Amino acid sequence: MDWHGKTVGYAITGSHCTFAEVMPQIQRFMDGGAKVVPIVSASVLNTDTRFGTSENWLKQLKDITGNDIISTIVDAEPLGPSKLLDVLAIAPCTGNTTSKLANAMTDSPVLMAAKSQMRNGRPLVLAISTNDGLGLNAANIAKLLVAKHIYFVPFGQDNPEGKPNSLVARMELIPEACYAALQGKQLQPMIIERFHSA
């Protein structure tokens, strides 16, 4: 995929267990020639987990993209008027972010970036990662599935036996889903069988 001349917004929310999967996808955008603008939620900015420290993940993000990280609502707001982003990926997109996006709440830099993108009629691509995708969040996902300019990275159940309500996107398809979204298309198949974890 040729990403030369394109600016990709890449927003990360707090599904910390998927961070190691998404970093190589950001590198793929860079390798394809894109300019990547990184955006993070408060959880990413401030939370250390067994999957790594916030300092380490933020350093990786800045090292890969070569750009400063947008981490406040104030810094994210100009993305709308400037029409900077050709496509915005939220990957991973937590259940919390999915819920707020579906209900028009804008209380984080990631959600402000998403609002700006939709205001401009430009593609927003979601790579969901939520333990309640087939629970209470199913209604929110359904609302977003029929919304204009919103596309999904193909997703499926990641652990049907242990966590039957959990849905996770196939993160290695993030660039492909974004490329399709730029053409106004949903990457198919959208609902896939994902690997089963123990």
PDB file of all heavy atoms in Angstrom, residues 103-141:
ATOM      1  N   ASN A 103     -22.492   7.429  21.665  1.00  0.00           N
ATOM      2  CA  ASN A 103     -23.447   8.296  22.359  1.00  0.00           C
ATOM      3  C   ASN A 103     -23.008   9.761  22.368  1.00  0.00           C
ATOM      4  O   ASN A 103     -23.438  10.544  23.215  1.00  0.00           O
ATOM      5  CB  ASN A 103     -23.667   7.774  23.782  1.00  0.00           C
ATOM      6  CG  ASN A 103     -24.452   6.477  23.772  1.00  0.00           C
ATOM      7  OD1 ASN A 103     -25.657   6.477  23.568  1.00  0.00           O
ATOM      8  ND2 ASN A 103     -23.760   5.353  23.957  1.00  0.00           N
ATOM      9  N   ALA A 104     -22.146  10.106  21.405  1.00  0.00           N
ATOM     10  CA  ALA A 104     -21.759  11.501  21.139  1.00  0.00           C
ATOM     11  C   ALA A 104     -21.117  12.194  22.334  1.00  0.00           C
ATOM     12  O   ALA A 104     -21.313  13.386  22.548  1.00  0.00           O
ATOM     13  CB  ALA A 104     -22.967  12.296  20.644  1.00  0.00           C
ATOM     14  N   MET A 105     -20.334  11.443  23.109  1.00  0.00           N
ATOM     15  CA  MET A 105     -19.602  12.043  24.219  1.00  0.00           C
ATOM     16  C   MET A 105     -18.182  12.360  23.778  1.00  0.00           C
ATOM     17  O   MET A 105     -17.549  11.570  23.086  1.00  0.00           O
ATOM     18  CB  MET A 105     -19.586  11.093  25.424  1.00  0.00           C
ATOM     19  CG  MET A 105     -20.959  10.829  26.005  1.00  0.00           C
ATOM     20  SD  MET A 105     -20.930   9.639  27.357  1.00  0.00           S
ATOM     21  CE  MET A 105     -20.010  10.558  28.594  1.00  0.00           C
ATOM     22  N   THR A 106     -17.688  13.520  24.196  1.00  0.00           N
ATOM     23  CA  THR A 106     -16.348  13.962  23.784  1.00  0.00           C
ATOM     24  C   THR A 106     -15.581  14.418  25.010  1.00  0.00           C
ATOM     25  O   THR A 106     -15.526  15.607  25.326  1.00  0.00           O
ATOM     26  CB  THR A 106     -16.467  15.114  22.760  1.00  0.00           C
ATOM     27  OG1 THR A 106     -17.351  14.731  21.714  1.00  0.00           O
ATOM     28  CG2 THR A 106     -15.093  15.430  22.165  1.00  0.00           C
ATOM     29  N   ASP A 107     -15.013  13.452  25.729  1.00  0.00           N
ATOM     30  CA  ASP A 107     -14.320  13.797  26.972  1.00  0.00           C
ATOM     31  C   ASP A 107     -12.883  13.303  26.998  1.00  0.00           C
ATOM     32  O   ASP A 107     -12.305  13.122  28.066  1.00  0.00           O
ATOM     33  CB  ASP A 107     -15.102  13.260  28.181  1.00  0.00           C
ATOM     34  CG  ASP A 107     -15.168  11.744  28.215  1.00  0.00           C
ATOM     35  OD1 ASP A 107     -14.704  11.093  27.251  1.00  0.00           O
ATOM     36  OD2 ASP A 107     -15.666  11.194  29.221  1.00  0.00           O
ATOM     37  N   SER A 108     -12.292  13.089  25.826  1.00  0.00           N
ATOM     38  CA  SER A 108     -10.888  12.666  25.762  1.00  0.00           C
ATOM     39  C   SER A 108     -10.295  13.166  24.455  1.00  0.00           C
ATOM     40  O   SER A 108     -11.036  13.494  23.512  1.00  0.00           O
ATOM     41  CB  SER A 108     -10.780  11.137  25.829  1.00  0.00           C
ATOM     42  OG  SER A 108     -11.113  10.555  24.576  1.00  0.00           O
ATOM     43  N   PRO A 109      -8.971  13.225  24.357  1.00  0.00           N
ATOM     44  CA  PRO A 109      -8.359  13.659  23.094  1.00  0.00           C
ATOM     45  C   PRO A 109      -8.701  12.733  21.935  1.00  0.00           C
ATOM     46  O   PRO A 109      -8.867  13.186  20.800  1.00  0.00           O
ATOM     47  CB  PRO A 109      -6.859  13.667  23.400  1.00  0.00           C
ATOM     48  CG  PRO A 109      -6.688  12.923  24.673  1.00  0.00           C
ATOM     49  CD  PRO A 109      -7.976  13.039  25.422  1.00  0.00           C
ATOM     50  N   VAL A 110      -8.830  11.441  22.214  1.00  0.00           N
ATOM     51  CA  VAL A 110      -9.170  10.485  21.151  1.00  0.00           C
ATOM     52  C   VAL A 110     -10.573  10.762  20.631  1.00  0.00           C
ATOM     53  O   VAL A 110     -10.821  10.787  19.412  1.00  0.00           O
ATOM     54  CB  VAL A 110      -9.040   9.040  21.658  1.00  0.00           C
ATOM     55  CG1 VAL A 110      -9.598   8.049  20.645  1.00  0.00           C
ATOM     56  CG2 VAL A 110      -7.579   8.714  21.978  1.00  0.00           C
ATOM     57  N   LEU A 111     -11.518  10.984  21.533  1.00  0.00           N
ATOM     58  CA  LEU A 111     -12.894  11.263  21.112  1.00  0.00           C
ATOM     59  C   LEU A 111     -13.010  12.625  20.435  1.00  0.00           C
ATOM     60  O   LEU A 111     -13.800  12.785  19.492  1.00  0.00           O
ATOM     61  CB  LEU A 111     -13.836  11.166  22.305  1.00  0.00           C
ATOM     62  CG  LEU A 111     -14.032   9.739  22.831  1.00  0.00           C
ATOM     63  CD1 LEU A 111     -14.622   9.749  24.234  1.00  0.00           C
ATOM     64  CD2 LEU A 111     -14.903   8.924  21.887  1.00  0.00           C
ATOM     65  N   MET A 112     -12.224  13.584  20.849  1.00  0.00           N
ATOM     66  CA  MET A 112     -12.217  14.878  20.168  1.00  0.00           C
ATOM     67  C   MET A 112     -11.693  14.727  18.749  1.00  0.00           C
ATOM     68  O   MET A 112     -12.232  15.299  17.788  1.00  0.00           O
ATOM     69  CB  MET A 112     -11.368  15.891  20.938  1.00  0.00           C
ATOM     70  CG  MET A 112     -11.223  17.244  20.233  1.00  0.00           C
ATOM     71  SD  MET A 112     -12.804  18.076  19.892  1.00  0.00           S
ATOM     72  CE  MET A 112     -13.190  18.712  21.525  1.00  0.00           C
ATOM     73  N   ALA A 113     -10.640  13.916  18.584  1.00  0.00           N
ATOM     74  CA  ALA A 113     -10.108  13.661  17.242  1.00  0.00           C
ATOM     75  C   ALA A 113     -11.151  12.965  16.377  1.00  0.00           C
ATOM     76  O   ALA A 113     -11.313  13.290  15.193  1.00  0.00           O
ATOM     77  CB  ALA A 113      -8.836  12.819  17.338  1.00  0.00           C
ATOM     78  N   ALA A 114     -11.873  12.010  16.968  1.00  0.00           N
ATOM     79  CA  ALA A 114     -12.916  11.299  16.226  1.00  0.00           C
ATOM     80  C   ALA A 114     -14.033  12.255  15.812  1.00  0.00           C
ATOM     81  O   ALA A 114     -14.521  12.212  14.677  1.00  0.00           O
ATOM     82  CB  ALA A 114     -13.476  10.160  17.076  1.00  0.00           C
ATOM     83  N   LYS A 115     -14.440  13.114  16.730  1.00  0.00           N
ATOM     84  CA  LYS A 115     -15.483  14.102  16.426  1.00  0.00           C
ATOM     85  C   LYS A 115     -15.040  15.009  15.288  1.00  0.00           C
ATOM     86  O   LYS A 115     -15.824  15.313  14.372  1.00  0.00           O
ATOM     87  CB  LYS A 115     -15.785  14.934  17.681  1.00  0.00           C
ATOM     88  CG  LYS A 115     -16.814  16.035  17.471  1.00  0.00           C
ATOM     89  CD  LYS A 115     -17.006  16.836  18.752  1.00  0.00           C
ATOM     90  CE  LYS A 115     -17.981  17.983  18.556  1.00  0.00           C
ATOM     91  NZ  LYS A 115     -18.140  18.789  19.786  1.00  0.00           N
ATOM     92  N   SER A 116     -13.779  15.432  15.323  1.00  0.00           N
ATOM     93  CA  SER A 116     -13.240  16.299  14.278  1.00  0.00           C
ATOM     94  C   SER A 116     -13.258  15.598  12.934  1.00  0.00           C
ATOM     95  O   SER A 116     -13.590  16.197  11.902  1.00  0.00           O
ATOM     96  CB  SER A 116     -11.809  16.717  14.633  1.00  0.00           C
ATOM     97  OG  SER A 116     -11.780  17.466  15.821  1.00  0.00           O
ATOM     98  N   GLN A 117     -12.905  14.327  12.931  1.00  0.00           N
ATOM     99  CA  GLN A 117     -12.862  13.558  11.694  1.00  0.00           C
ATOM    100  C   GLN A 117     -14.268  13.414  11.089  1.00  0.00           C
ATOM    101  O   GLN A 117     -14.455  13.569   9.883  1.00  0.00           O
ATOM    102  CB  GLN A 117     -12.249  12.182  11.973  1.00  0.00           C
ATOM    103  CG  GLN A 117     -11.888  11.386  10.734  1.00  0.00           C
ATOM    104  CD  GLN A 117     -10.664  11.924  10.010  1.00  0.00           C
ATOM    105  OE1 GLN A 117     -10.149  12.997  10.325  1.00  0.00           O
ATOM    106  NE2 GLN A 117     -10.196  11.195   9.029  1.00  0.00           N
ATOM    107  N   MET A 118     -15.238  13.117  11.945  1.00  0.00           N
ATOM    108  CA  MET A 118     -16.607  12.952  11.456  1.00  0.00           C
ATOM    109  C   MET A 118     -17.191  14.288  10.986  1.00  0.00           C
ATOM    110  O   MET A 118     -17.935  14.337  10.018  1.00  0.00           O
ATOM    111  CB  MET A 118     -17.476  12.318  12.542  1.00  0.00           C
ATOM    112  CG  MET A 118     -17.116  10.849  12.792  1.00  0.00           C
ATOM    113  SD  MET A 118     -18.234  10.004  13.935  1.00  0.00           S
ATOM    114  CE  MET A 118     -17.828  10.812  15.473  1.00  0.00           C
ATOM    115  N   ARG A 119     -16.811  15.347  11.661  1.00  0.00           N
ATOM    116  CA  ARG A 119     -17.250  16.694  11.247  1.00  0.00           C
ATOM    117  C   ARG A 119     -16.822  16.985   9.816  1.00  0.00           C
ATOM    118  O   ARG A 119     -17.547  17.621   9.052  1.00  0.00           O
ATOM    119  CB  ARG A 119     -16.641  17.719  12.205  1.00  0.00           C
ATOM    120  CG  ARG A 119     -16.468  19.120  11.645  1.00  0.00           C
ATOM    121  CD  ARG A 119     -15.671  20.003  12.582  1.00  0.00           C
ATOM    122  NE  ARG A 119     -15.214  21.211  11.908  1.00  0.00           N
ATOM    123  CZ  ARG A 119     -14.716  22.263  12.533  1.00  0.00           C
ATOM    124  NH1 ARG A 119     -14.608  22.262  13.851  1.00  0.00           N
ATOM    125  NH2 ARG A 119     -14.317  23.312  11.860  1.00  0.00           N
ATOM    126  N   ASN A 120     -15.649  16.485   9.459  1.00  0.00           N
ATOM    127  CA  ASN A 120     -15.116  16.735   8.125  1.00  0.00           C
ATOM    128  C   ASN A 120     -15.539  15.691   7.097  1.00  0.00           C
ATOM    129  O   ASN A 120     -15.122  15.767   5.935  1.00  0.00           O
ATOM    130  CB  ASN A 120     -13.584  16.806   8.194  1.00  0.00           C
ATOM    131  CG  ASN A 120     -13.105  18.031   8.949  1.00  0.00           C
ATOM    132  OD1 ASN A 120     -13.742  19.080   8.916  1.00  0.00           O
ATOM    133  ND2 ASN A 120     -11.979  17.911   9.635  1.00  0.00           N
ATOM    134  N   GLY A 121     -16.356  14.720   7.512  1.00  0.00           N
ATOM    135  CA  GLY A 121     -16.814  13.703   6.581  1.00  0.00           C
ATOM    136  C   GLY A 121     -15.699  12.814   6.083  1.00  0.00           C
ATOM    137  O   GLY A 121     -15.744  12.322   4.949  1.00  0.00           O
ATOM    138  N   ARG A 122     -14.702  12.602   6.931  1.00  0.00           N
ATOM    139  CA  ARG A 122     -13.552  11.775   6.559  1.00  0.00           C
ATOM    140  C   ARG A 122     -13.572  10.470   7.350  1.00  0.00           C
ATOM    141  O   ARG A 122     -14.167  10.399   8.426  1.00  0.00           O
ATOM    142  CB  ARG A 122     -12.257  12.548   6.795  1.00  0.00           C
ATOM    143  CG  ARG A 122     -12.132  13.751   5.863  1.00  0.00           C
ATOM    144  CD  ARG A 122     -10.803  14.441   5.985  1.00  0.00           C
ATOM    145  NE  ARG A 122     -10.680  15.500   4.993  1.00  0.00           N
ATOM    146  CZ  ARG A 122      -9.593  16.228   4.810  1.00  0.00           C
ATOM    147  NH1 ARG A 122      -8.519  16.003   5.562  1.00  0.00           N
ATOM    148  NH2 ARG A 122      -9.567  17.166   3.886  1.00  0.00           N
ATOM    149  N   PRO A 123     -12.915   9.430   6.836  1.00  0.00           N
ATOM    150  CA  PRO A 123     -13.071   8.097   7.435  1.00  0.00           C
ATOM    151  C   PRO A 123     -12.459   7.951   8.820  1.00  0.00           C
ATOM    152  O   PRO A 123     -11.356   8.429   9.099  1.00  0.00           O
ATOM    153  CB  PRO A 123     -12.388   7.163   6.430  1.00  0.00           C
ATOM    154  CG  PRO A 123     -11.503   8.035   5.608  1.00  0.00           C
ATOM    155  CD  PRO A 123     -12.132   9.385   5.595  1.00  0.00           C
ATOM    156  N   LEU A 124     -13.224   7.260   9.665  1.00  0.00           N
ATOM    157  CA  LEU A 124     -12.822   6.884  11.013  1.00  0.00           C
ATOM    158  C   LEU A 124     -12.859   5.359  11.066  1.00  0.00           C
ATOM    159  O   LEU A 124     -13.884   4.754  10.759  1.00  0.00           O
ATOM    160  CB  LEU A 124     -13.786   7.485  12.029  1.00  0.00           C
ATOM    161  CG  LEU A 124     -13.644   7.042  13.485  1.00  0.00           C
ATOM    162  CD1 LEU A 124     -12.282   7.426  14.048  1.00  0.00           C
ATOM    163  CD2 LEU A 124     -14.772   7.650  14.327  1.00  0.00           C
ATOM    164  N   VAL A 125     -11.749   4.748  11.443  1.00  0.00           N
ATOM    165  CA  VAL A 125     -11.623   3.288  11.438  1.00  0.00           C
ATOM    166  C   VAL A 125     -11.420   2.794  12.865  1.00  0.00           C
ATOM    167  O   VAL A 125     -10.508   3.258  13.561  1.00  0.00           O
ATOM    168  CB  VAL A 125     -10.452   2.838  10.544  1.00  0.00           C
ATOM    169  CG1 VAL A 125     -10.306   1.319  10.568  1.00  0.00           C
ATOM    170  CG2 VAL A 125     -10.658   3.329   9.113  1.00  0.00           C
ATOM    171  N   LEU A 126     -12.261   1.859  13.291  1.00  0.00           N
ATOM    172  CA  LEU A 126     -12.229   1.360  14.661  1.00  0.00           C
ATOM    173  C   LEU A 126     -11.716  -0.078  14.693  1.00  0.00           C
ATOM    174  O   LEU A 126     -12.215  -0.934  13.965  1.00  0.00           O
ATOM    175  CB  LEU A 126     -13.626   1.415  15.283  1.00  0.00           C
ATOM    176  CG  LEU A 126     -14.366   2.747  15.195  1.00  0.00           C
ATOM    177  CD1 LEU A 126     -15.739   2.622  15.840  1.00  0.00           C
ATOM    178  CD2 LEU A 126     -13.555   3.873  15.827  1.00  0.00           C
ATOM    179  N   ALA A 127     -10.747  -0.324  15.563  1.00  0.00           N
ATOM    180  CA  ALA A 127     -10.262  -1.688  15.820  1.00  0.00           C
ATOM    181  C   ALA A 127     -10.676  -2.030  17.246  1.00  0.00           C
ATOM    182  O   ALA A 127      -9.948  -1.762  18.204  1.00  0.00           O
ATOM    183  CB  ALA A 127      -8.749  -1.779  15.652  1.00  0.00           C
ATOM    184  N   ILE A 128     -11.860  -2.599  17.376  1.00  0.00           N
ATOM    185  CA  ILE A 128     -12.424  -2.790  18.705  1.00  0.00           C
ATOM    186  C   ILE A 128     -11.667  -3.852  19.508  1.00  0.00           C
ATOM    187  O   ILE A 128     -11.133  -4.814  18.960  1.00  0.00           O
ATOM    188  CB  ILE A 128     -13.928  -3.122  18.654  1.00  0.00           C
ATOM    189  CG1 ILE A 128     -14.194  -4.378  17.834  1.00  0.00           C
ATOM    190  CG2 ILE A 128     -14.722  -1.944  18.126  1.00  0.00           C
ATOM    191  CD1 ILE A 128     -15.636  -4.836  17.906  1.00  0.00           C
ATOM    192  N   SER A 129     -11.650  -3.633  20.796  1.00  0.00           N
ATOM    193  CA  SER A 129     -11.077  -4.585  21.743  1.00  0.00           C
ATOM    194  C   SER A 129     -11.829  -4.401  23.053  1.00  0.00           C
ATOM    195  O   SER A 129     -11.524  -3.511  23.843  1.00  0.00           O
ATOM    196  CB  SER A 129      -9.581  -4.324  21.936  1.00  0.00           C
ATOM    197  OG  SER A 129      -9.024  -5.254  22.840  1.00  0.00           O
ATOM    198  N   THR A 130     -12.856  -5.234  23.250  1.00  0.00           N
ATOM    199  CA  THR A 130     -13.727  -5.047  24.405  1.00  0.00           C
ATOM    200  C   THR A 130     -14.255  -6.380  24.927  1.00  0.00           C
ATOM    201  O   THR A 130     -14.649  -7.249  24.142  1.00  0.00           O
ATOM    202  CB  THR A 130     -14.914  -4.126  24.065  1.00  0.00           C
ATOM    203  OG1 THR A 130     -15.854  -4.126  25.154  1.00  0.00           O
ATOM    204  CG2 THR A 130     -15.623  -4.548  22.792  1.00  0.00           C
ATOM    205  N   ASN A 131     -14.267  -6.514  26.238  1.00  0.00           N
ATOM    206  CA  ASN A 131     -14.773  -7.737  26.862  1.00  0.00           C
ATOM    207  C   ASN A 131     -16.292  -7.847  26.826  1.00  0.00           C
ATOM    208  O   ASN A 131     -16.839  -8.906  27.129  1.00  0.00           O
ATOM    209  CB  ASN A 131     -14.299  -7.825  28.325  1.00  0.00           C
ATOM    210  CG  ASN A 131     -12.848  -8.224  28.428  1.00  0.00           C
ATOM    211  OD1 ASN A 131     -12.336  -8.963  27.601  1.00  0.00           O
ATOM    212  ND2 ASN A 131     -12.164  -7.728  29.452  1.00  0.00           N
ATOM    213  N   ASP A 132     -16.981  -6.746  26.463  1.00  0.00           N
ATOM    214  CA  ASP A 132     -18.442  -6.811  26.439  1.00  0.00           C
ATOM    215  C   ASP A 132     -19.013  -6.461  25.069  1.00  0.00           C
ATOM    216  O   ASP A 132     -20.114  -5.927  24.944  1.00  0.00           O
ATOM    217  CB  ASP A 132     -19.066  -5.956  27.547  1.00  0.00           C
ATOM    218  CG  ASP A 132     -18.887  -4.460  27.314  1.00  0.00           C
ATOM    219  OD1 ASP A 132     -17.990  -4.082  26.544  1.00  0.00           O
ATOM    220  OD2 ASP A 132     -19.662  -3.680  27.894  1.00  0.00           O
ATOM    221  N   GLY A 133     -18.280  -6.808  24.019  1.00  0.00           N
ATOM    222  CA  GLY A 133     -18.741  -6.535  22.665  1.00  0.00           C
ATOM    223  C   GLY A 133     -20.032  -7.253  22.305  1.00  0.00           C
ATOM    224  O   GLY A 133     -20.816  -6.775  21.498  1.00  0.00           O
ATOM    225  N   LEU A 134     -20.258  -8.416  22.909  1.00  0.00           N
ATOM    226  CA  LEU A 134     -21.508  -9.143  22.712  1.00  0.00           C
ATOM    227  C   LEU A 134     -22.387  -9.050  23.956  1.00  0.00           C
ATOM    228  O   LEU A 134     -23.331  -9.810  24.110  1.00  0.00           O
ATOM    229  CB  LEU A 134     -21.228 -10.606  22.355  1.00  0.00           C
ATOM    230  CG  LEU A 134     -20.546 -10.824  21.000  1.00  0.00           C
ATOM    231  CD1 LEU A 134     -20.240 -12.297  20.781  1.00  0.00           C
ATOM    232  CD2 LEU A 134     -21.399 -10.276  19.863  1.00  0.00           C
ATOM    233  N   GLY A 135     -22.053  -8.096  24.836  1.00  0.00           N
ATOM    234  CA  GLY A 135     -22.851  -7.816  26.022  1.00  0.00           C
ATOM    235  C   GLY A 135     -23.503  -6.453  25.856  1.00  0.00           C
ATOM    236  O   GLY A 135     -24.068  -6.135  24.806  1.00  0.00           O
ATOM    237  N   LEU A 136     -23.379  -5.612  26.877  1.00  0.00           N
ATOM    238  CA  LEU A 136     -24.020  -4.299  26.827  1.00  0.00           C
ATOM    239  C   LEU A 136     -23.485  -3.422  25.698  1.00  0.00           C
ATOM    240  O   LEU A 136     -24.197  -2.559  25.179  1.00  0.00           O
ATOM    241  CB  LEU A 136     -23.838  -3.580  28.173  1.00  0.00           C
ATOM    242  CG  LEU A 136     -24.665  -4.141  29.333  1.00  0.00           C
ATOM    243  CD1 LEU A 136     -24.299  -3.424  30.628  1.00  0.00           C
ATOM    244  CD2 LEU A 136     -26.158  -3.997  29.052  1.00  0.00           C
ATOM    245  N   ASN A 137     -22.227  -3.648  25.303  1.00  0.00           N
ATOM    246  CA  ASN A 137     -21.662  -2.802  24.251  1.00  0.00           C
ATOM    247  C   ASN A 137     -22.108  -3.200  22.857  1.00  0.00           C
ATOM    248  O   ASN A 137     -21.828  -2.495  21.886  1.00  0.00           O
ATOM    249  CB  ASN A 137     -20.130  -2.808  24.326  1.00  0.00           C
ATOM    250  CG  ASN A 137     -19.565  -1.407  24.444  1.00  0.00           C
ATOM    251  OD1 ASN A 137     -20.134  -0.449  23.933  1.00  0.00           O
ATOM    252  ND2 ASN A 137     -18.439  -1.279  25.106  1.00  0.00           N
ATOM    253  N   ALA A 138     -22.816  -4.307  22.720  1.00  0.00           N
ATOM    254  CA  ALA A 138     -23.296  -4.726  21.398  1.00  0.00           C
ATOM    255  C   ALA A 138     -24.183  -3.643  20.772  1.00  0.00           C
ATOM    256  O   ALA A 138     -24.124  -3.399  19.565  1.00  0.00           O
ATOM    257  CB  ALA A 138     -24.059  -6.042  21.501  1.00  0.00           C
ATOM    258  N   ALA A 139     -24.993  -2.992  21.591  1.00  0.00           N
ATOM    259  CA  ALA A 139     -25.873  -1.936  21.080  1.00  0.00           C
ATOM    260  C   ALA A 139     -25.067  -0.755  20.553  1.00  0.00           C
ATOM    261  O   ALA A 139     -25.421  -0.151  19.535  1.00  0.00           O
ATOM    262  CB  ALA A 139     -26.827  -1.471  22.175  1.00  0.00           C
ATOM    263  N   ASN A 140     -23.966  -0.431  21.230  1.00  0.00           N
ATOM    264  CA  ASN A 140     -23.130   0.688  20.780  1.00  0.00           C
ATOM    265  C   ASN A 140     -22.407   0.347  19.482  1.00  0.00           C
ATOM    266  O   ASN A 140     -22.300   1.177  18.579  1.00  0.00           O
ATOM    267  CB  ASN A 140     -22.127   1.050  21.877  1.00  0.00           C
ATOM    268  CG  ASN A 140     -22.818   1.566  23.117  1.00  0.00           C
ATOM    269  OD1 ASN A 140     -23.720   2.397  23.036  1.00  0.00           O
ATOM    270  ND2 ASN A 140     -22.425   1.059  24.274  1.00  0.00           N
ATOM    271  N   ILE A 141     -21.892  -0.878  19.390  1.00  0.00           N
ATOM    272  CA  ILE A 141     -21.238  -1.302  18.156  1.00  0.00           C
ATOM    273  C   ILE A 141     -22.225  -1.259  16.999  1.00  0.00           C
ATOM    274  O   ILE A 141     -21.899  -0.802  15.896  1.00  0.00           O
ATOM    275  CB  ILE A 141     -20.625  -2.709  18.328  1.00  0.00           C
ATOM    276  CG1 ILE A 141     -19.449  -2.646  19.324  1.00  0.00           C
ATOM    277  CG2 ILE A 141     -20.159  -3.277  16.992  1.00  0.00           C
ATOM    278  CD1 ILE A 141     -18.917  -4.000  19.731  1.00  0.00           C
TER     279      ILE A 141
END
